[in-house]
Amino acid sequence: MTDISQLTLPALRNDLQLQPGPTAADGSPTWTIYDPVRSRYFRIGWSAFLMLSHWSLATTPALIHYIHSETACPLTEQDVIEFVRFLFANNLTLQAIDGDYQAYLQQFRASRLQWYMKLLHSYLFFRIPLLRPNGFLCWSLPYLQWCFNKRTLYFLGGIGLFALYLVSRQWETFFATFLHFFDWQGALCYGLALIFSKTLHELGHAYTAVRYGCRVPVMGLAFMVLMPMPYTDVTDAWRLTSRCQRIAIDSAGIVVELALAVLSTLAWSFLPDGSLRSAAFVLASVTWLTTLTINLSPFMRFDGYYILADSLGIDNLQARAFALSRWHLRHMLFGISGVKPETLPSTMEFKMVVYAYATWIYRVVVFTSLALMVYHFFFKLLGLILFMIELVWFILRPIVQELRLWRHMDQQITYSRKKTLAAFGAVVLLTIALPWNGSVHLPALLEAEHHTTLYAPEPSQIAEISVRAGQVVKSGQILLKLQAPKLDDEIGLSEKRLVLYRMRLERAATNREVSSDIHVAMQQWEEEAARLVGLKQQRERLLIRAPFAGIIMDMDQSLHSQRWVDTSLPLAKLVATEQIVVQAVASEDAVAVLAIGQSGHFVLEDGLRNSIDVEVSEISSVNMHHFDRLYLASVYGGDVAVRQNTAGALYPDTSVFAVRLSAKSTLALTRVERGTVVINARPRSFARRFFDGAAAILVRESGF
């Protein structure tokens, strides 16, 4: 290509518009180039504005000479070259840089993607425009002006504090209601609530933009990794010179969702149990959760990001922060100075570097979670492929690109920096490869090894209660005396029949006329005698005795003499007070490192008492299909995530295995205690953990 310094400046498109922009972070003025054909905006600074203002000078030397003579701008030939390339790259000129049409052809070919790259980009992100709402928004805005009144915001803030106060007084009920919706019906309710809240969210952006004179050409759906999310095109907000107005547009959706959350929370606090209260709860939980965890996050390009960028006065915050942080990282590790991407005040530069590092960490967590979600969402083979695409594209690709750049900078790295880098690499490798602490933490219950719940053997009436809750009893001691009047009547009748059959036998033995009936009478007497023994044994079982020594627990307070009880009513619980056992639940990853005989200790949930030494005595080889340890279930405040069907049965969300541990000491335990078992398993390196996990996934999913 011919030297640009000797060429005429390319002509600009006639339809471009140059508008004033907001004040930059350093206080300097900015301007905005508006491309009406593509509805795109480009922010430029003072030097670029001076060049555009005198573009008619036509040549680079004339432009530089005039600006130097008339202004204090230190413009260089390289500045002009870079600006011309920027204009051409963004299709803002009428001709190529050197007048050769081949440059357009090269630019077109470079912009074309291979079919597989098009497919990849379409999978990662694409948009579907649905509405052109600008006319409707302009027509309906006057009817909604009251929403932008400060008194409305103050009112919502006041009732929001009141609603949060009411929820704080019944937080356990609110949280239990949240767990109640952990099924497909709850997922459907949350999906509908999400659609409703996000529609209002986008309307908040749209109405605020129209209120400040901006156009809203399109509203529709955007798909990020096939996850749908509504979007509103408020690009026209770039023409605004007031950053406060731009921040208002950025935050309007969050304000609308918070208002919806406040009203729904207040409604939930006052509504009676029923469908309306459930609907209010779903709306409240959805709006609070999405607003606080997604919309306000500045690390992804959601509302929180744009609010932060406009508050700092830095457009394209992420791209500029990433470029500055990469330069900072190279300088810190290798001593490479190079050309800094931009010069900013030290305080602002520090903020951008910290923001970039935090964003990188956040993205690793989020994109890894997205990859896992995609993996579980699709069938096995496609899930694995999409899982690898997520990891490679979002996490490994940026790392590999930066490492390649480091390799090309090898000549710029000083010897001392190379030693530092080598030492740093060695530490990283040792951290990854060497086995470290292998302790495993398992949610567990501490309970008596021997315990039983006492029931009535048959429907009966309480005759006498001989014990009370908390009383220590001996083995065989009578706890309750039950009676069954019908059984007593049958015993009385049976005894009378025995007397009658005995009289028949005696008469047959002395009277020859009836001596032939002696065998029949003998058989009747024997049958009735056996029946009487069975009836008395049945009555004996109505005496509820302690099968072993222990303490009476959980005795029904409503029990009293003469009360009728059936076989399904628990009368009391008997717990042995000496021997104890720990029942734990382990994940698939934890089971891989557990073994019989490993030692550890049980830490009680309250943290106020001494831990108990334990030893692994049994590990189940089959995962738990039905979850029967209620104290550990998430719906009852435990750590194991479970689902509950309509019949009340619990099913774990992931594969979990039962682990039994024996305690090395005795304890007078009067109730089930919840806590955590810490097992001293064999140490594993981070690399071993990763490969074990990957191997487990491949083995589990090998049946394509």
Side-chain angles (χ1 to χ4, degrees):
M1 184 177 291
T2 308
D3 186 2
I4 192 172
S5 64
Q6 305 301 320
L7 293 177
T8 301
L9 297 175
L12 301 176
R13 284 170 43 193
N14 296 326
D15 58 344
L16 298 179
Q17 301 175 16
L18 185 62
Q19 303 169 349
T23 303
D26 58 0
S28 62
T30 66
W31 287 263
T32 302
I33 302 174
Y34 174 52
D35 179 358
V37 175
R38 296 175 295 164
S39 188
R40 294 188 63 185
Y41 294 83
F42 305 91
R43 191 83 73 213
I44 60 174
W46 180 46
S47 60
F49 171 73
L50 289 176
M51 285 187 278
L52 287 180
S53 300
H54 304 90
W55 202 256
S56 58
L57 294 173
T59 64
T60 301
L63 180 64
I64 294 176
H65 176 73
Y66 181 83
I67 291 178
H68 282 177
S69 62
E70 297 295 329
T71 70
C73 178
L75 189 69
T76 64
E77 183 179 288
Q78 186 63 34
D79 293 333
V80 180
I81 293 173
E82 293 298 330
F83 186 58
V84 171
R85 288 175 178 169
F86 162 77
L87 294 174
F88 173 71
N90 289 283
N91 299 308
L92 301 179
T93 60
L94 286 176
Q95 61 188 44
I97 297 176
D98 55 2
D100 187 0
Y101 75 92
Q102 292 290 339
Y104 283 111
L105 184 60
Q106 294 174 3
Q107 187 183 60
F108 172 72
R109 288 174 176 172
S111 64
R112 296 185 63 183
L113 298 175
Q114 298 291 336
W115 66 269
Y116 55 87
M117 291 302 295
K118 289 182 179 179
L119 181 62
L120 177 61
H121 280 275
S122 298
Y123 157 67
L124 295 175
F125 184 81
F126 65 93
R127 286 181 173 182
I128 301 178
L130 298 177
L131 301 172
R132 298 189 179 276
N134 196 70
F136 170 78
L137 295 171
C138 293
W139 170 81
S140 57
L141 179 61
Y143 299 100
L144 297 173
Q145 285 292 348
W146 60 271
C147 295
F148 299 94
N149 195 305
K150 288 185 178 180
R151 285 177 292 184
T152 303
L153 295 178
Y154 293 150
F155 173 74
L156 288 173
I159 66 173
L161 294 175
F162 180 59
L164 291 176
Y165 168 73
L166 293 178
V167 169
S168 68
R169 294 176 60 87
Q170 44 185 336
W171 172 249
E172 293 183 357
T173 304
F174 188 87
F175 185 72
T177 307
F178 181 75
L179 296 174
H180 176 70
F181 283 89
F182 273 11
D183 54 25
W184 70 269
Q185 294 174 330
L188 178 61
C189 292
Y190 277 116
L192 295 175
L194 198 60
I195 293 173
F196 178 70
S197 64
K198 290 305 174 186
T199 301
L200 294 183
H201 177 106
E202 296 304 320
L203 287 174
H205 289 306
Y207 275 113
T208 308
V210 171
R211 184 170 182 261
Y212 290 124
C214 302
R215 290 182 63 255
V216 180
V218 171
M219 295 179 71
L221 281 178
F223 290 81
M224 181 178 179
V225 195
L226 301 182
M227 295 294 295
M229 57 186 71
Y231 79 93
T232 301
D233 186 354
V234 290
T235 311
D236 212 37
W238 272 71
R239 67 171 65 246
L240 297 175
T241 58
S242 170
R243 291 199 178 272
C244 291
Q245 292 180 349
R246 294 184 61 180
I247 292 173
I249 296 174
D250 299 335
S251 58
I254 293 178
V255 173
V256 170
E257 281 206 74
L258 286 177
L260 183 60
V262 164
L263 296 175
S264 303
T265 304
L266 187 67
W268 179 85
S269 300
F270 285 100
L271 286 172
D273 290 336
S275 57
L276 286 178
R277 194 175 198 231
S278 297
F281 169 80
V282 170
L283 269 178
S285 56
V286 162
T287 47
W288 283 120
L289 190 63
T290 57
T291 297
L292 298 177
T293 61
I294 298 177
N295 294 330
L296 279 176
S297 171
F299 304 117
M300 299 289 286
R301 289 183 179 268
F302 298 124
D303 296 345
Y305 166 75
Y306 295 105
I307 292 172
L308 178 63
D310 287 329
S311 299
L312 296 176
I314 298 179
D315 300 315
N316 299 320
L317 172 62
Q318 281 192 353
R320 294 166 66 180
F322 290 171
L324 190 61
S325 297
R326 285 193 291 268
W327 177 89
H328 179 271
L329 184 64
R330 296 164 197 155
H331 177 71
M332 181 180 63
L333 291 178
F334 312 128
I336 300 175
S337 296
V339 179
K340 186 181 288 190
E342 59 181 309
T343 302
L344 294 169
S346 57
T347 303
M348 181 61 68
E349 183 176 309
F350 174 76
K351 291 179 181 178
M352 292 181 68
V353 170
V354 170
Y355 169 76
Y357 288 149
T359 302
W360 290 338
I361 296 171
Y362 178 85
R363 285 190 169 190
V364 168
V365 175
V366 169
F367 290 143
T368 303
S369 302
L370 275 175
L372 290 172
M373 183 183 66
V374 168
Y375 163 72
H376 289 291
F377 185 74
F378 296 95
F379 62 87
K380 294 179 180 179
L381 179 58
L382 182 59
L384 279 176
I385 294 174
L386 297 182
F387 176 82
M388 295 306 299
I389 289 175
E390 291 281 310
L391 289 182
V392 171
W393 185 264
F394 287 118
I395 298 177
L396 297 181
R397 184 178 66 96
I399 295 175
V400 170
Q401 289 177 344
E402 185 64 20
L403 291 177
R404 285 177 177 173
L405 188 61
W406 290 1
R407 186 181 64 183
H408 294 310
M409 293 180 175
D410 184 67
Q411 300 300 323
Q412 304 178 45
I413 303 175
T414 62
Y415 180 70
S416 60
R417 295 281 181 164
K418 286 184 178 181
K419 290 194 297 182
T420 303
L421 180 62
F424 175 76
V427 171
V428 171
L429 287 176
L430 289 175
T431 303
I432 295 174
L434 290 180
W436 296 89
N437 182 21
S439 62
V440 178
H441 293 70
L442 310 176
L445 298 175
L446 179 67
E447 59 186 12
E449 186 172 10
H450 299 297
H451 58 86
T452 186
T453 303
L454 306 174
Y455 296 89
E458 62 180 82
S460 52
Q461 187 179 33
I462 298 178
E464 181 182 346
I465 301 176
S466 305
V467 294
R468 64 184 182 279
Q471 181 176 336
V472 178
V473 297
K474 299 178 181 179
S475 177
Q477 180 178 337
I478 296 177
L479 310 178
L480 291 92
K481 293 182 180 180
L482 306 179
Q483 61 185 11
K486 184 178 179 180
L487 178 61
D488 292 337
D489 293 342
E490 290 182 1
I491 291 176
L493 289 174
S494 180
E495 290 176 343
K496 291 178 180 179
R497 291 193 190 98
L498 280 178
V499 173
L500 178 62
Y501 294 152
R502 182 180 294 278
M503 292 175 59
R504 287 181 181 179
L505 283 173
E506 291 176 352
R507 190 170 71 174
T510 57
N511 191 340
R512 293 182 180 179
E513 295 179 358
V514 294
S515 59
S516 59
D517 297 335
I518 190 171
H519 297 293
V520 176
M522 178 61 71
Q523 183 177 359
Q524 290 177 336
W525 185 87
E526 290 176 351
E527 290 177 355
E528 193 63 35
R531 182 171 179 273
L532 180 60
V533 171
L535 291 173
K536 289 184 176 181
Q537 290 177 350
Q538 187 176 348
R539 184 171 62 181
E540 179 66 23
R541 288 198 299 272
L542 293 178
L543 296 177
I544 307 298
R545 300 177 183 272
F548 50 81
I551 186 170
I552 300 296
M553 300 296 300
D554 299 334
M555 194 167 188
D556 193 335
Q557 298 298 320
S558 63
L559 298 181
H560 58 82
S561 181
Q562 305 304 313
R563 176 183 170 176
W564 285 89
V565 295
D566 58 18
T567 56
S568 63
L569 177 67
L571 302 177
K573 185 175 182 180
L574 180 63
V575 178
T577 57
E578 294 298 330
Q579 297 178 337
I580 55 177
V581 67
V582 175
Q583 302 285 358
V585 175
S587 65
E588 188 175 8
D589 182 62
V591 166
V593 297
L594 293 179
I596 304 297
Q598 288 175 336
S599 60
H601 55 276
F602 176 85
V603 181
L604 289 104
E605 187 178 47
D606 56 23
L608 301 177
R609 289 168 285 177
N610 295 332
S611 60
I612 300 171
D613 293 334
V614 295
E615 183 178 288
V616 178
S617 58
E618 183 180 340
I619 303 173
S620 176
S621 59
V622 180
N623 64 310
M624 302 173 69
H625 179 61
H626 297 284
F627 196 76
D628 55 359
R629 298 179 181 177
L630 303 184
Y631 287 99
L632 298 180
S634 58
V635 293
Y636 297 110
D639 295 328
V640 181
V642 298
R643 306 182 311 275
Q644 190 172 22
N645 63 11
T646 54
L650 302 179
Y651 301 90
D653 284 342
T654 58
S655 296
V656 292
F657 298 80
V659 178
R660 182 184 174 92
L661 305 99
S662 58
K664 297 181 179 180
S665 59
T666 59
L667 181 68
L669 190 67
T670 58
R671 62 187 176 91
V672 175
E673 298 278 3
R674 188 163 57 190
T676 302
V677 169
V678 181
I679 303 296
N680 302 320
R682 65 176 182 272
R684 287 191 304 168
S685 64
F686 289 112
R688 178 62 182 273
R689 294 179 189 221
F690 173 79
F691 285 115
D692 285 349
I697 291 175
L698 292 175
V699 170
R700 184 175 69 243
E701 306 297 342
S702 59
F704 293 136

